[in-house]
Amino acid sequence: MTSTPDAPDVPALELRGLRREFGEKVAVDDVDLAVPAGSFFGMVGPNGAGKTTALSMAVGLLRPSAGQALVQGVDVWSDPVEAKRRLGVLPDGLALPERLTGGELLTYWGRFRGMPRDVVAARAQELLRILELGEAEQLGTLVGEYSTGMRKKIGLATALLHTPRVLVLDEPYEAVDPVSARVLTRILRRFTQTGGSVIISSHVMALVEQLCDRVAIVADGRVAVEGTLDQVRAGSTLEDRFVELVGAPEPDEEELAWIGG
């Protein structure tokens, strides 16, 4: 039985006993996580904590060693077509066709998904304008010539094009200038206000505090804590709570003593 999109009692994204091993290394260690529908959810953790691996399994880019990932109750691996219809993804290290313009990429992507040509054309034009890629399109700039920030924005456009109800975005603000960041924030807030759900990973604690209403801190392949932003902060800042849970090495006064002469 297929769940009803946006049903409030069905998590937008759910991980059940999700595990991934690379040889003897356990990258994601039996993670259980439920992202409530309509939430703006942040996943934070140090490098190598397992965030990207977990999200890659959650959206169908990496097969788990064990466990399940469900989008609005639909299993990503047993029913991938239906799950990905509901899902928009901006993965880490997004690979894009280099010899297309942004508009050509969106046209190809929409037609690949079976969307009507006129719908694709209208949405592509609007996305390029709102994401400030219209001038590059007019100049015939190829995606291979895009800056890192522009690539993030065209990647977000591909994630939004087919009107998904769940967005999973890995470091969406990386290398994006402050003006463009405000545009992205406006788009994502509108997405959640209309009932959509957003899951982002980020290393920037202040950004997560500004955007997210729920947060999970991931360390050593496990969820160390998850809940509302206030629950996770526990009366402190998110950064202080992060350091408390993840741990930070105490600096040695003798290290790098040569700095500063």
Side-chain angles (χ1 to χ4, degrees):
M1 179 178 177
T2 301
S3 62
T4 302
D6 299 329
D9 57 335
V10 177
L13 180 71
E14 187 175 7
L15 311 181
R16 298 178 180 172
L18 205 63
R19 184 178 184 87
R20 178 67 193 197
E21 301 164 355
F22 295 98
E24 296 183 358
K25 177 177 174 55
V26 178
V28 176
D29 192 0
D30 299 327
V31 165
D32 293 305
L33 185 67
V35 177
S39 61
F40 203 133
F41 191 95
M43 185 177 288
V44 300
N47 291 326
K51 302 186 306 299
T52 294
T53 301
L55 290 180
S56 296
M57 291 189 287
V59 301
L61 294 176
L62 179 67
R63 186 172 290 277
S65 303
Q68 284 182 293
L70 302 100
V71 177
Q72 293 187 321
V74 179
D75 192 295
V76 171
W77 290 98
S78 65
D79 193 356
V81 174
E82 177 60 26
K84 291 175 183 179
R85 185 181 67 80
R86 303 174 181 222
L87 189 61
V89 180
L90 178 62
D92 181 52
L94 175 65
L96 297 169
E98 303 288 302
R99 303 301 298 173
L100 299 178
T101 67
E104 290 169 343
L105 170 59
L106 291 175
T107 299
Y108 167 79
W109 191 247
R111 297 299 293 154
F112 178 76
R113 281 186 169 272
M115 297 170 60
R117 191 179 300 275
D118 58 338
V119 172
V120 173
R123 289 182 184 175
Q125 184 177 22
E126 187 173 13
L127 284 165
L128 290 170
R129 176 179 57 81
I130 291 173
L131 290 168
E132 301 171 321
L133 296 172
E135 182 178 353
E137 186 65 20
Q138 291 175 3
L139 294 172
T141 305
L142 301 178
V143 171
E145 299 168 339
Y146 276 15
S147 67
T148 301
M150 292 170 71
R151 292 172 75 90
K152 286 284 184 180
K153 289 194 284 186
I154 196 63
L156 179 61
T158 65
L160 289 167
L161 185 66
H162 62 291
T163 60
R165 300 313 297 145
V166 181
L167 287 176
V168 178
L169 312 174
D170 201 343
E171 297 286 355
Y173 287 83
E174 183 181 33
V176 174
D177 66 78
V179 174
S180 296
R182 286 196 176 192
V183 174
L184 263 62
T185 297
R186 188 169 69 246
I187 292 170
L188 296 179
R189 286 199 186 283
R190 181 174 179 180
F191 186 82
T192 57
Q193 287 166 1
T194 57
S197 308
V198 176
I199 300 97
I200 68 168
S201 74
S202 179
H203 290 96
V204 184
M205 301 297 151
L207 175 70
V208 173
E209 283 189 288
Q210 175 190 345
L211 293 177
C212 299
D213 49 69
R214 297 188 70 89
V215 180
I217 296 178
V218 179
D220 297 323
R222 300 183 180 92
V223 176
V225 65
E226 184 273 330
T228 66
L229 182 60
D230 286 340
Q231 287 172 340
V232 171
R233 288 188 297 195
S236 184
T237 66
L238 184 59
E239 182 175 340
D240 287 344
R241 185 73 167 128
F242 176 91
V243 172
E244 175 189 335
L245 290 169
V246 173
E250 289 295 325
D252 187 335
E253 294 183 2
E254 298 300 320
E255 290 179 344
L256 301 180
W258 48 269
I259 287 182

